[in-house]
Amino acid sequence: MKISEPVDALTPYSGVEPDASWRDEVHELAEQRDAIILAHNYQVPAIQDVAHHTGDSLALSRIAATCDASTIIFCGVHFMAETAKILAPEKTVLIPDARAGCSLADSITGADLREWKSLHPGAVVVSYVNTTAEVKAETDVCCTSSNAVDVVNSIPPGRGVLFCPDQFLGAHVKRRTGRDDLYIWAGECHVHAGINGPELAGRAAENPDADLFIHPECGCATSALYLAGEGIVPSEKVKILSTGDMVDQARTTNAKRVLVATEVGMLHQLRKAAPEIEFAAVNERASCRYMKMITPAALLRGLREGEDEVLLDLEVAKRARGAVQRMIEIGRPGGGE
Ligand code: 13P
Ligand code: SF4
């Protein structure tokens, strides 16, 4: 079964009001389980606020690998919880709803990657962390949006690099590294691909003084650089950033208004980091239905019942671990609170 079934076909958990008693119960249950709650920047605000740490994929992976807690409750999508389990096999890893998949991770399978590798013998495989454990097991080094350029730069030229699965992140890495031996898989995330160039150009024209924070998975990333290159938007205002880097940038920019091209859950951390700045989504419909499956009720159920536990085939996890460990060693620390 594909993990990312259309959510419309699934029965959502019944509503739970995320009030102070919910928050207290979540923290009490987490303490009883010796659990740390990690939340991605795209989670609903109540989940971001109740978590012990909120951040981007790289920051959360690093915390999963080094924290003392015996249990990790991962409030994010399935590949993120799986990555935590790969890095910390001795820990219990729970995700409040295991059906929370990712359309980008679904765009390449282990068999697809094996076939692609056979066409480029000797090439180094760099997989974005948004992949299944089976794909990671076929990978030399994983990356996130925060360290993809550093990871590719760490590979000596001449061997060829297979970069999967996101085509827009791949194009960004190719531009930044200038490598012509980088081959890119044609996958995409349905949320970010939908944030397109004309939409960005229109919003930028309406807001000439705004900074543009663009996630490199976006369909509009190339257009953003075109706008900068043509002088339509001053180049210092166009920033291609991971979700964690957006928070860091919000703390230092002088802009009064920022247009944000990524999943709309991001606005919550940005507004907390810089309440004086006006943040607006480039596309207000850019909501990831998988991320939003981790509801307050699902988190409570997961903590009460110890579910859904993430279990991995030991051999696959062992083969995937080296690639994920190399990922967390490359690039600067940070990206989370
Ligand atoms: P970050 O690594 O920037 O947090 O992005 C994760 C993701 O799923 C983007 O869609
Ligand atoms: Fe996957 Fe896209 Fe959702 Fe990120 S926003 S988890 S890439 S489907």
Side-chain angles (χ1 to χ4, degrees):
M1 181 191 88
K2 270 192 174 177
I3 292 163
S4 39
E5 290 178 50
V7 173
D8 300 348
L10 304 172
T11 316
Y13 293 104
S14 60
V16 159
E17 222 21 72
D19 57 11
S21 70
W22 171 80
R23 195 184 165 89
D24 290 348
E25 190 175 352
V26 165
H27 284 151
E28 268 163 40
L29 290 167
E31 203 175 322
Q32 283 165 24
R33 286 191 179 275
D34 184 32
I36 187 170
I37 304 173
L38 305 182
H40 188 263
N41 287 321
Y42 298 162
Q43 290 289 291
V44 296
I47 301 277
Q48 294 191 31
D49 291 346
V50 86
H52 297 115
H53 298 277
T54 301
D56 67 11
S57 309
L58 185 59
L60 296 178
S61 297
R62 285 183 170 139
I63 295 168
T66 53
C67 68
D68 292 330
S70 61
T71 297
I72 295 169
I73 316 283
F74 214 112
C75 297
V77 290
H78 195 268
F79 76 79
M80 295 181 175
E82 216 176 45
T83 305
K85 183 70 182 175
I86 291 168
L87 283 165
E90 72 294 350
K91 296 189 201 296
T92 301
V93 177
L94 304 177
I95 179 167
D97 192 328
R99 299 170 299 178
C102 169
S103 57
L104 179 56
D106 282 345
S107 68
I108 188 165
T109 64
D112 291 335
L113 182 50
R114 278 191 291 278
E115 194 183 327
W116 199 29
K117 280 163 69 171
S118 74
L119 302 174
H120 299 272
V124 179
V125 177
V126 178
S127 295
Y128 193 33
V129 71
N130 297 40
T131 43
T132 60
E134 203 200 346
V135 168
K136 290 185 174 85
E138 296 290 335
T139 294
D140 294 301
V141 52
C142 289
C143 68
T144 71
S145 55
S146 163
N147 69 359
V149 171
D150 293 333
V151 166
V152 171
N153 273 333
S154 75
I155 300 165
R159 282 188 62 189
V161 177
L162 302 185
F163 189 92
C164 72
D166 190 72
Q167 57 180 301
F168 299 111
L169 179 64
H172 168 66
V173 170
K174 193 164 184 148
R175 265 191 308 264
R176 292 282 301 276
T177 61
R179 287 184 80 129
D180 52 15
D181 62 346
L182 187 88
Y183 303 93
I184 301 168
W185 189 258
E188 63 182 30
C189 149
H190 71 288
V191 179
H192 286 86
I195 307 175
N196 60 49
E199 200 160 24
L200 177 74
R203 299 299 306 276
E206 288 158 19
N207 298 277
D209 296 328
D211 271 4
L212 309 183
F213 286 7
I214 319 274
H215 195 278
E217 278 178 34
C218 286
C220 66
T222 305
S223 309
L225 295 169
Y226 170 81
L227 294 175
E230 293 296 301
I232 299 167
V233 175
S235 59
E236 68 278 8
K237 290 196 157 293
V238 177
K239 297 163 206 244
I240 311 283
L241 302 164
S242 76
T243 65
D245 292 338
M246 286 186 188
V247 177
D248 292 345
Q249 192 69 45
R251 295 198 174 103
T252 55
T253 182
N254 293 325
K256 293 193 170 54
R257 188 170 166 82
V258 175
L259 297 177
V260 183
T262 193
E263 209 274 352
V264 290
M266 190 66 231
L267 296 170
H268 183 61
Q269 279 306 312
L270 291 172
R271 287 172 180 150
K272 277 175 75 173
E276 70 290 358
I277 297 176
E278 200 188 322
F279 294 97
V282 170
N283 179 339
E284 279 153 15
R285 300 173 310 284
S287 174
C288 175
R289 58 188 187 261
Y290 304 116
M291 284 282 178
K292 277 23 180 199
M293 293 179 77
I294 310 303
T295 60
L299 174 57
L300 206 50
R301 180 200 72 104
L303 279 161
R304 282 182 185 149
E305 299 172 15
E307 289 186 343
D308 294 334
E309 184 164 4
V310 176
L311 297 169
L312 287 176
D313 179 280
L314 286 180
E315 193 47 38
V316 171
K318 196 169 141 207
R319 287 177 48 223
R321 194 160 305 127
V324 180
Q325 249 152 7
R326 282 189 277 284
M327 168 186 92
I328 62 171
E329 283 156 15
I330 298 175
R332 58 159 196 85
E337 62 161 17

